[in-house]
Amino acid sequence: MIKHLRSAADLDAATATLILDTAAEMAALSGREVKKLPALRGRTVVNLFYEDSTRTRISFEAAAKRLSADVINFSAKGSSVSKGESLKDTALTLQAMGADAVVIRHSASGAPHRLANWVDGSVVNAGDGTHEHPTQALLDAYTMRSRLGRLDGLKVAIVGDVLHSRVARSNVLLLTTLGADVTLVGPPTLIPLDVAAALSKSTKVSYDLDSVLPDSDVVMMLRVQTERMQDSYFPSAREYSRRYGLDMPRMRKLPEHAVVMHPGPMNRGMEIAPEVADSPRSTIVEQVANGVSVRMAVLYLLLGGK
Amino acid sequence: MAQPRADAPSKIILAGSDLHRVVDRIAHQILEKTSGATGTVLLGIPTRGVPLAHRLAARIHAFEGVDVPVGSLDITLYRDDLRLQATRALGRTELPAGGIDGLRVILVDDVLFSGRSVRAALDALKDLGRPSSVQLAVLVDRGHRQLPIRADYVGKNIPTALSESVKVALTEIDGADEVKLIGGLT
Amino acid sequence: MAYLLKGVSILGAAPTDLYINDGVISAPVPDAEVIDAAGLVALPGLVDVHTHLREPGREDAETVETGSRAAALGGYTAVCAMANTSPVADTAGVVEQVWRLGREAGLVDVQPIGAVTVGLAGKQMAELGAMASSAADVRIFSDDGFCVADPKLMRRALEYVKAFDGVIAQHAEEPRLTEGAQMHEGEVSTRLGLTGWPAVAEEAIIARDVLLAEHVGSRLHVCHVSTAGSVEVLRQAKARGVRVTAEVTPHHLLLTDERAEGYDPVFKVNPPLRTRSDVEALRQALLDGVIDVVATDHAPHAVQDKECEWSYARPGMLGLETALPIVLSVFGPKWDLIADRMSIAPARIAGLDGHGGDLTKAGTPANLTLVDPSVQRVVDPAELASISRNTPYAGMTLPGRIVATFLRGEATVLDGKAVK
């Protein structure tokens, strides 16, 4: 098993599939009387969050606790971090406390890679800057597989601000590893240069959402921050929404079986219409539930053995 | 525990029809001891306990027409040696639709050895519900218990040395039915 | 003191005996201290037109003295100290302070560079004339670290320094195109999720500046050229007769952006490491003379400024002690090329008359260095004379060892060790 999960590129197809299969077993737990397994008893998992993200933190926290690990939440606010303690010094503190795993969320791309140099335990990337968010990609893949029964050959459109999206990067890497065909859709200003060469040769790019939808099994809408307007990535929220937002007429262009995903938090009315977000095709609530199972699987596989 | 080398000598203890007869006997014993297997659930411990549980259920059905619900109980996350080995993939845990509360659960495994797997199974069971009683059926008891655990139904007692190992093969998984004793002093 | 360099090879020529006396190359003199120089190559003392010595302000990263020692150990006899100190070298007072500290250290000639604009803020021209007529005799002006982005201000600066034969050394980086930039914009930056620094941000400024220099008939020097596109702009400008010179750093001649893969900020530098094809173009440009000099952009940083997240780390790399080995590893023992690009041409650009002289002529100031090209050495950061440790070459095996360096006939390095 791998030691760290810093990038979706750390996962080959066999390991990724093992995580998804393990997550399926973990998912059964939520229907049980006792929602707890003893696998990580006595292990310490630190949630080191330099960015506010309550949903991701509680998802990791629930995952670790259901596996009986001791969880320490170390949030940047109100800690020594605000006094300017370096990541390295924080890492050495966590090391001294005997952290078996550190789940890190950080605004700087690559912070998990740096952290892994300074702690003996496993490092799990819970989102770093505009780089990656591998557990989000795993839960997305899990959700697709449970809705559509497979990943191999699945046509997935990822729509929106790919340039600044850690979710998109991890999804492209993981989904192509698992055999899906990914098309990135958005205005050219928000699709990074050389994206296919950078991530996966088979990745396609389109600037026209309408032409991509009829041939998609999954459409994943990315959050678009309105402040990108100020930086001339697109002229206005209205124009963005018209060209790249998923509304009801557009959703009807999808094949019957296709699903709509969003990593959250959503800008309703911007990249996704409220009726679409709440439609039966939307997996948005499932994604949250699946997040706990997938993170349990990751923590178990990283920490469960020798 | 030291495993015998791959080229160690081996001896077949049960083959094909012998194994079938042993399974039949356990099925009969279950029927006898449980007064017709009512209120009973068979839970196989992966990997080979699961097909054994299904065989027992099939034989019970053949003998008396009783349908005994079958499930599987993965014990990986409850093992006391989890940390001593590389991370293991999980097996399936699948309870029958009626659950296990208030029922007699018979755990089914291929080999009873130290008893640690059974203890893990009992721990796992505790998190899944509250059976009225728990029994244990094994194909082979090879001795060397490390815990105060015994089986209610034993297919065959095989006295072994610690340096030996018992290998159970089942058609569903291994393509053939046999029990082999491997290694030890010759 | 007089020295006899016995059996030395001047720029790779047949072994000869070279005498140093009274600070110059001399005819044979009796009682000279004999240095066995068999197998050693003599080069004119190297001249760096782009060094950060960090004093005043960041003496925890480097001082004029430690930087001078690193320079001498690297074979240098003169370095030009960049203006981005704290306070900024934008007044006669600060440049004279740096110049005086260099004299006191006495290991290399430290020639201060003056800031173009007050506080490097790019708003108001600094007192360039006062710095030129100070004891430091400043000739190169640069806001290095920042680009003189305002075209009007750049034009005025280029014109103004003509009065005292100055030159503006531009850090070519269009600031609006590099907001938040962390590394070269391309495949690797996309993969790593680091904001890109596009090549065009450098090329656009160089294109603008060569046109401005041409328009006002001034000299322009371009710092640390890093892209193939910049090379093409410079090639065309030079063909038209524009008075432009350019430098390339050892790291841009060797390393590529793939080094960022592990997010180790020791590879973070500005301008960033580029692609393999850029590296090839820069090498060719140095061979062709489109790029005139190798300059180190020696940029020491304290440990805490590099042992952190990539985006929080300061850009820059050590360079003085590894420059010659890097150039040797890239180009091989092309001694005439090395002497020109690392000594003669930089001395000419910086107006340092005593440096880059002809070692075969008696009377030439004895600024020279002796290299043993047969030695291969593994770079060990702990062995460097710099206070800082941010070398990107740690663990690399590089050819060439500086055995001795002489500044005006006095040894600053002997047996590979600094004399003070």
Side-chain angles (χ1 to χ4, degrees):
Chain A
M1 190 57 202
I2 56 169
K3 175 161 188 206
H4 305 293
L5 181 58
R6 293 164 299 192
S7 158
D10 292 340
L11 303 171
D12 58 18
T15 309
T17 305
L18 176 62
I19 292 174
L20 299 184
D21 290 347
T22 305
E25 293 304 318
M26 298 296 184
L29 193 71
S30 61
R32 290 186 198 152
E33 192 94 332
V34 179
K35 293 182 183 55
K36 213 171 179 74
L37 293 164
L40 300 185
R41 250 184 79 214
R43 299 246 158 165
T44 301
V45 174
V46 175
N47 285 324
L48 177 59
F49 274 55
Y50 285 85
E51 274 185 342
D52 281 332
S53 174
T54 309
R55 43 200 297 150
T56 305
R57 187 182 54 72
I58 62 175
S59 181
F60 270 106
E61 188 171 350
K65 285 182 168 167
R66 286 183 180 184
L67 290 170
S68 307
D70 294 318
V71 180
I72 298 172
N73 287 315
F74 192 117
S75 140
K77 287 198 176 141
S79 75
S80 50
V81 175
S82 50
K83 293 178 216 142
E85 183 177 78
S86 72
L87 179 61
K88 183 177 180 181
D89 288 334
T90 302
L92 297 179
T93 303
L94 302 181
Q95 177 68 20
M97 286 164 58
D100 295 297
V102 182
V103 176
I104 178 173
R105 170 76 152 230
H106 202 296
S107 59
S109 299
H113 290 72
R114 298 296 286 156
L115 182 65
N117 295 327
W118 300 316
V119 295
D120 292 336
S122 293
V123 171
V124 179
N125 183 356
D128 62 328
T130 53
H131 176 226
E132 284 208 48
H133 195 354
T135 59
Q136 176 73 41
L138 283 162
L139 77 89
D140 289 339
Y142 181 88
T143 305
M144 289 177 213
R145 197 178 73 163
S146 49
R147 272 282 186 121
L148 300 167
R150 69 193 164 102
L151 289 165
D152 192 39
L154 222 54
K155 292 192 165 59
V156 181
I158 301 178
V159 185
D161 185 1
V162 177
L163 182 64
H164 300 96
S165 175
R166 48 193 174 208
V167 175
R169 274 176 187 71
S170 288
N171 262 299
V172 170
L173 290 167
L174 182 71
L175 290 172
T176 51
T177 296
L178 292 170
D181 294 327
V182 179
T183 303
L184 300 172
V185 186
T189 45
L190 292 175
I191 304 289
L193 290 178
D194 302 329
V195 69
L199 297 177
S200 162
K201 301 274 176 269
S202 64
T203 312
K204 292 187 271 297
V205 171
S206 170
Y207 307 133
D208 178 16
L209 181 57
D210 291 302
S211 69
V212 172
L213 290 175
D215 196 29
S216 297
D217 301 303
V218 177
V219 56
M220 183 185 296
M221 304 307 296
L222 301 173
R223 179 180 170 81
V224 175
Q225 287 169 339
T226 41
E227 58 260 36
R228 303 286 175 224
M229 271 187 297
Q230 270 78 60
D231 221 357
S232 303
Y233 286 102
F234 51 87
S236 68
R238 191 173 61 178
E239 174 155 328
Y240 181 87
S241 185
R242 272 195 199 148
R243 292 179 66 85
Y244 297 103
L246 191 63
D247 54 12
M248 286 306 277
R250 278 214 172 95
M251 192 171 79
R252 285 188 207 104
K253 295 183 178 176
L254 285 166
E256 199 76 7
H257 65 273
V259 296
V260 175
M261 305 183 72
H262 195 298
M266 287 179 281
N267 288 315
R268 285 171 184 261
M270 174 81 171
E271 72 267 4
I272 190 163
E275 318 84 81
V276 176
D278 297 332
S279 83
R281 290 175 164 221
S282 154
T283 64
I284 293 160
V285 179
E286 274 161 77
Q287 284 171 270
V288 176
N290 293 341
V292 177
S293 307
V294 161
R295 286 168 181 133
M296 286 174 77
V298 168
L299 289 174
Y300 165 65
L301 291 168
L302 290 179
L303 298 183
K306 188 157 57 169
Chain B
M1 244 163 274
Q3 290 291 309
R5 295 188 359 227
D7 59 352
S10 68
K11 189 169 86 181
I12 292 173
I13 305 284
L14 288 175
S17 50
D18 303 335
L19 198 148
H20 299 166
R21 273 191 288 279
V22 168
V23 171
D24 285 357
R25 196 177 68 245
I26 299 174
H28 278 300
Q29 286 173 348
I30 288 173
L31 282 165
E32 191 183 321
K33 216 168 164 178
T34 62
S35 313
T38 49
T40 300
V41 169
L42 294 170
L43 288 186
I45 297 174
T47 311
R48 287 172 185 76
V50 180
L52 275 178
H54 282 281
R55 286 193 194 190
L56 286 170
R59 297 318 288 157
I60 288 169
H61 180 83
F63 299 146
E64 307 235 332
V66 185
D67 282 317
V68 181
V70 182
S72 64
L73 178 66
D74 182 52
I75 59 164
T76 308
L77 296 171
Y78 293 84
R79 298 184 76 106
D80 61 5
D81 62 350
L82 203 56
R83 303 280 169 76
L84 303 177
Q85 301 187 27
T87 311
R88 303 161 194 242
L90 301 189
R92 300 226 66 170
T93 293
E94 225 167 0
L95 299 188
I100 55 170
D101 285 354
L103 300 174
R104 176 192 300 110
V105 167
I106 301 178
L107 297 171
V108 183
D109 205 355
D110 54 352
V111 179
L112 178 59
F113 183 19
S114 66
R116 288 173 188 270
S117 297
V118 177
R119 178 179 65 181
L122 291 170
D123 287 344
L125 213 50
K126 171 183 65 133
D127 285 350
L128 291 172
R130 189 181 181 283
S132 64
S133 65
V134 182
Q135 297 182 341
L136 173 64
V138 298
L139 188 65
V140 174
D141 182 348
R142 62 166 291 193
H144 304 291
R145 213 76 74 241
Q146 294 166 353
L147 293 169
I149 281 169
R150 61 163 183 80
D152 301 90
Y153 314 97
V154 178
K156 191 167 177 66
N157 283 295
I158 304 177
T160 59
L162 272 175
S163 58
E164 295 169 318
S165 79
V166 175
K167 267 274 184 261
V168 173
L170 296 174
T171 313
E172 296 90 325
I173 292 164
D174 311 290
D177 284 342
E178 74 179 14
V179 177
K180 260 199 285 193
L181 183 65
I182 304 173
L185 303 168
T186 45
Chain C
M1 176 175 289
Y3 290 98
L4 163 57
L5 312 182
K6 204 158 178 48
V8 75
S9 160
I10 300 171
L11 298 180
T16 181
D17 291 347
L18 185 66
Y19 285 88
I20 299 172
N21 191 26
D22 273 345
V24 296
I25 306 298
S26 79
V29 287
D31 302 327
E33 182 172 324
V34 179
I35 293 175
D36 177 10
L40 304 185
V41 174
L43 291 170
L46 307 183
V47 176
D48 190 14
V49 295
H50 193 145
T51 307
H52 297 274
L53 293 177
R54 300 295 184 225
E55 191 177 1
R58 281 309 295 265
E59 291 83 354
D60 60 329
E62 196 79 290
T63 64
V64 171
E65 185 190 335
T66 59
S68 294
R69 191 170 296 119
L73 287 163
Y76 286 87
T77 52
V79 298
C80 299
M82 271 298 171
N84 62 341
T85 48
S86 178
V88 171
D90 57 1
T91 61
V94 178
V95 293
E96 283 186 352
Q97 182 197 354
V98 172
W99 177 76
R100 206 185 57 247
L101 288 166
R103 291 287 288 254
E104 285 166 7
L107 287 155
V108 289
D109 285 345
V110 174
Q111 175 58 51
I113 290 172
V116 178
T117 66
V118 176
L120 308 176
K123 299 282 183 224
Q124 187 195 341
M125 201 190 292
E127 289 186 352
L128 309 184
M131 290 187 272
S133 29
S134 72
D137 196 18
V138 176
R139 284 295 173 272
I140 302 180
F141 299 90
S142 180
D143 275 3
D144 181 63
F146 299 96
C147 183
V148 181
D150 179 342
K152 189 167 78 179
L153 185 53
M154 185 61 183
R155 175 210 161 129
R156 298 280 188 253
L158 285 166
E159 285 180 301
Y160 190 77
V161 298
K162 285 205 277 189
F164 35 86
D165 195 27
V167 60
I168 305 293
Q170 175 71 297
H171 171 117
E173 175 183 353
E174 164 53 51
R176 287 283 282 159
L177 288 174
T178 56
E179 280 170 13
Q182 296 294 331
M183 66 171 297
H184 172 66
E185 179 174 286
E187 195 183 313
V188 183
S189 69
T190 292
R191 181 157 59 245
L192 298 186
L194 292 170
T195 306
W197 198 129
V200 66
E202 173 175 308
E203 293 151 6
I205 290 294
I206 298 177
R208 181 199 78 178
D209 286 354
V210 294
L211 292 171
L212 285 173
E214 186 173 28
H215 180 60
V216 298
S218 293
R219 277 174 73 196
L220 167 70
H221 178 73
V222 183
C223 297
H224 41 52
V225 171
S226 69
T227 80
S230 298
V231 168
E232 280 322 299
V233 172
L234 289 166
R235 195 185 299 278
Q236 289 168 27
K238 285 192 163 187
R240 282 204 311 281
V242 180
R243 294 167 69 204
V244 58
T245 54
E247 69 190 41
V248 63
T249 68
H251 47 271
H252 287 112
L253 287 171
L254 187 71
L255 306 174
T256 63
D257 61 342
E258 284 164 4
R259 298 274 173 174
E261 296 273 7
Y263 294 94
D264 184 346
V266 80
F267 297 107
K268 179 172 171 175
V269 65
N270 191 15
L273 300 176
R274 304 285 185 186
T275 65
R276 177 55 48 196
S277 60
D278 292 306
V279 167
E280 297 300 333
L282 293 168
R283 290 177 178 185
Q284 191 58 47
L286 192 72
L287 287 171
D288 295 346
V290 169
I291 291 175
D292 305 80
V293 304
V294 174
T296 65
D297 196 4
H298 178 79
H301 286 298
V303 170
Q304 68 272 19
D305 292 327
K306 284 290 190 182
E307 274 200 342
C308 58
E309 297 84 333
W310 178 282
S311 343
Y312 301 169
R314 289 172 187 268
M317 304 174 161
L318 298 183
L320 286 168
E321 292 173 76
T322 46
L324 183 62
I326 297 290
V327 171
L328 267 175
S329 78
V330 170
F331 295 101
K334 293 193 170 73
W335 300 111
D336 288 317
L337 177 88
I338 291 169
D340 183 74
R341 306 298 195 262
M342 297 187 77
S343 174
I344 300 166
R348 189 171 59 234
I349 290 167
L352 296 168
D353 293 337
H355 295 269
D358 183 349
L359 299 182
T360 62
K361 274 195 194 147
T364 298
N367 296 313
L368 68 149
T369 189
L370 299 183
V371 189
D372 184 345
S374 67
V375 178
Q376 299 274 331
R377 299 218 299 170
V378 177
V379 179
D380 177 0
E383 285 180 359
L384 298 176
S386 275
I387 293 174
S388 295
R389 293 287 168 261
N390 55 307
T391 175
Y393 310 112
M396 274 188 208
T397 302
L398 295 173
R401 172 172 180 259
I402 303 295
V403 176
T405 307
F406 298 88
L407 177 64
R408 280 183 288 282
E410 299 298 322
T412 54
V413 173
L414 277 178
D415 289 329
K417 293 183 183 64
V419 297
K420 56 179 173 182

